[in-house]
Amino acid sequence: MVDKVKLLIDGAFVDAKGSQWRDVVNPATQDVLASVPMCGSDEVAQAVAAAKAAFPAWRATAIAERARVFLRLQALIREHMDELAATLTREQGKTLADAKGDVFRGLEVVEHACSIGTLQMGEFAENVAGGVDTYAIRQPLGVCAGITPFNFPAMIPLWMFPMACVAGNTFVLKPSEQDPLTPMKLAELAQQAGLPRGVLNVVHGGVEAVNAICDHPDIKAISFVGSVNVGRHVYERGTSNGKRVQAMLGAKNHAVVLPDANKEQTLNALVGAAFGAAGQRCMATSVVVLVGKAKEWIPDIVAKAKTLKVSAGCEPGADLGPVINRQALARIEKLIGQGIEQGATLELDGRKPVIAGYESGNFVAPTIFSAVKPGMAIYDEEIFGPVLCICEADSLDAAIALVNANPYGNGTALFTQSGAAARKFQHDIDVGQVGINVPIPVPVPIFSFTGSRGSKLGDLGPYGKEVIRFYTQTKTVTARWFDDDATAGPVNTTIALR
């Protein structure tokens, strides 16, 4: 019998009471690792009630003490890095190296949370009028919630609850039901770090749990990362209920390559960014735009992709593992078929690779199309698999126009040795995150994740300085103090301060 994944409610790991469960499956072997409950509104309400009860005391906790909890958490994450990565690999499919990267990028946000003392500072202006001072302070909202995707089961939860909680809020986390074991280990470490009971709560489930989070009147803000359709639903339902919502959605990230780019470094960057994590990254490079004579690089891109090893993530030397489930595999294979039917040139076919010892795994090897154009399904849709589309452009201006015409705005990159071309690109491109000779331009946590246009709903990012604004409300205080022997003066009926 497999283990049943527990809930975290009011500081205790408890069994779910519902009757609906879902298997957590190793995507490389189809082995069932655990059974996760599909919670309903009652269990979400219990988690929210615990978070609401914990809020007054946690809000009153000194900023330095809140920061110390997360200093201890970052130390525990480092101590358990190998265990976290192994769990992540088993349930999600990433290679061990990529799994460690997943944990580490989340760890960076935990470290940044420890600087809350400066992040949450307000503003002060003396003598804005005669004897009058005004100051602004940032105060926590209350109960906040996070809904996270399957592709980063460590990083995305660590983007959310540490920043929300260190700012004085309490939190309800709903991780992906496809790989909940890693988030639960992080929750265990948070409890060990000294996070008080009720400050962090974890529920599991699907549509019913998501809707309960969107509808609960005591939840003040929701952070979401995931698919476009679900994200739009969460944003519309949550905001209609008066909540703050930030939703990071889909992407179609283009890398533009000029002929003067450093060839070997560019090839390594493109292939790594396209096929790492089996292409299951919202920041994956899924389209390469070759400008001018750079179109001659197509055989080199194909040759470089052929050097990658496809295997279970736990295998030594594996460069990419399986995709998350059978449905994802079928969808990717369908889109590859549509690419052929719609006239793209299949340069490298990665369908149905034979992986010795893992014949039942959800594997797709690197797949490359050239002669791809807008209007083709493989260009218009986010494939979320190891499929790279190659387009061509006659000039940098034409490449910029192609990227800007795409509805998504998560990330883009330019490969060149020309400073003038790089400056033009970063100025003219209408995408939130830009890399110059960097293929996956996710900023470090001292900045904010800044995807834009169709890749984002809401105006603030999920970490960095922006997220402190998201998780706090600003209160302004205007004050005047009088000496005991001061004269009151006449009644003032105007709005001006004197």
Side-chain angles (χ1 to χ4, degrees), residues 11 82 133 144 171 175 179-180 221 262 309 312 320 322 376 424 438:
D82 290 343
D133 304 326
C144 301
F171 204 80
D179 44 15
N262 182 296
K309 178 181 177 181
L320 64 154
M376 294 180 177
K424 174 182 175 59
V438 175

Side-chain angles (χ1 to χ4, degrees), residues 16-17 55 65 95 108 144 150 165 176 195 232 242 266 296-297 307 323 329 365 370 385 388 390-391 422 441 446 453:
K17 296 180 180 179
F55 175 63
E65 181 54 37
T95 66
E108 290 182 319
C144 301
F150 76 84
C165 293
S176 171
L195 205 60
R232 286 175 179 163
T266 301
E296 298 171 4
W297 293 19
T307 67
V323 296
L329 176 64
S370 64
L388 178 63
I390 299 177
C391 303
I446 58 174
R453 295 195 284 137

